[in-house]
Amino acid sequence: MGSTAAISIFAAFSNIIAGMFTTPTVYTTSVMPEDTIVDFIVVGSGSAGSVVAGRLSEVPDWEVLVLEAGGQPPAFTKIPILQMASANPNANFINFYKTPPQKNYNQFLASNELTYPRGRMIGGTGAINLMVYSRGNPQDYDNWAQSGNPGWDWETVLKYFKKSEDYRSPLKPKDAPFHGIGGPLSVQKVGWMPPVGKLAIEAGKELGLEEIDYNTDTKIATTS
């Protein structure tokens, strides 16, 4: 590698590191005219708020205002391996909460608490989740519906997961019904796995677990 290329790579990496803890832009005064009229106000631009705002804005005649306490996300949020920066307790783009003490939870800590970081930036906590795409357990959605929340059952929400997704990796025939193509959210399997990850997959198989796509309706298995 030539010295010029090496310097360019180092400079680019330095810019990324420098951007890790850059204070996001926060407007102390309104930049909107006082007489602005909007149809909808969405509070928070995280994984839920940004989608709600995006869907509402599909109607040309509707004016949508999104309120976000934070600013632009730091550069590291686009590079999974640098997500360790989000553990910095002085980061002003994250709110660090504590879970309530529970007797049988987190027993390796005397407080039985867990630090619960929530993103304070455009993208919300979705900007500090290692770029992992995980829909959750289908049974949880069905439980929500059975608890009096119609429309939150797995079969119903799956339609919207598929609508929002643009899946770009090869699909097994049995997994294809659970994925969408052409949506605004690009999803693909990670292209590289560390040796310890491969060992974990093989260990699961030795226990009789099938390797699966965990964003389908099967959860008791091993997955990459």
Side-chain angles (χ1 to χ4, degrees):
M1 178 184 294
S3 58
T4 301
I7 292 173
S8 298
I9 293 174
F10 178 78
F13 186 74
S14 298
N15 287 336
I16 292 172
I17 299 300
M20 283 184 181
F21 303 109
T22 300
T23 302
T25 301
V26 178
Y27 297 105
T28 55
T29 58
S30 174
V31 295
M32 293 179 58
E34 293 184 0
D35 59 350
T36 299
I37 297 176
V38 298
D39 298 290
F40 298 94
I41 298 176
V42 178
V43 180
S45 65
S47 300
S50 58
V51 172
V52 169
R55 291 296 306 279
L56 290 172
S57 65
E58 291 176 6
V59 179
D61 295 333
W62 287 352
E63 295 291 335
V64 182
L65 171 65
V66 179
L67 300 179
E68 170 57 51
Q72 293 291 338
F76 83 85
T77 59
K78 299 180 180 180
I79 304 176
I81 198 172
L82 297 181
Q83 293 281 325
M84 64 187 73
S86 65
N88 181 359
N90 297 317
N92 59 1
F93 45 81
I94 298 176
N95 292 325
F96 290 94
Y97 299 104
K98 293 285 187 181
T99 58
Q102 300 178 58
K103 180 180 179 181
N104 298 315
Y105 181 69
N106 221 16
Q107 297 185 30
F108 60 89
L109 292 178
S111 64
N112 294 115
E113 297 175 333
L114 183 68
T115 300
Y116 194 60
R118 302 286 89 186
R120 189 175 186 271
M121 66 190 89
I122 295 175
T125 307
I128 56 170
N129 73 338
L130 292 168
M131 297 182 74
V132 173
Y133 179 72
S134 178
R135 296 172 175 175
N137 194 314
Q139 185 175 345
D140 288 336
Y141 293 100
D142 289 337
N143 288 342
W144 292 348
Q146 293 168 9
S147 299
N149 299 285
W152 281 95
D153 59 281
W154 169 248
E155 185 176 352
T156 300
V157 299
L158 177 60
K159 294 185 295 185
Y160 295 98
F161 281 132
K162 293 171 64 175
K163 180 178 180 179
S164 67
E165 185 182 40
D166 184 18
Y167 196 80
R168 298 187 175 187
S169 294
L171 276 170
K172 297 178 181 178
K174 66 176 182 178
D175 297 333
F178 298 94
H179 289 283
I181 297 175
L185 181 61
S186 298
V187 178
Q188 63 187 52
K189 293 193 67 173
V190 64
W192 176 83
M193 182 185 297
V196 66
K198 296 178 181 179
L199 290 174
I201 295 294
E202 293 305 315
K205 291 179 178 179
E206 289 181 8
L207 292 174
L209 298 176
E210 178 188 4
E211 184 175 0
I212 64 161
D213 175 348
Y214 65 82
N215 283 313
T216 62
D217 60 352
T218 304
K219 295 298 176 184
I220 306 301
T222 183
T223 182
S224 55

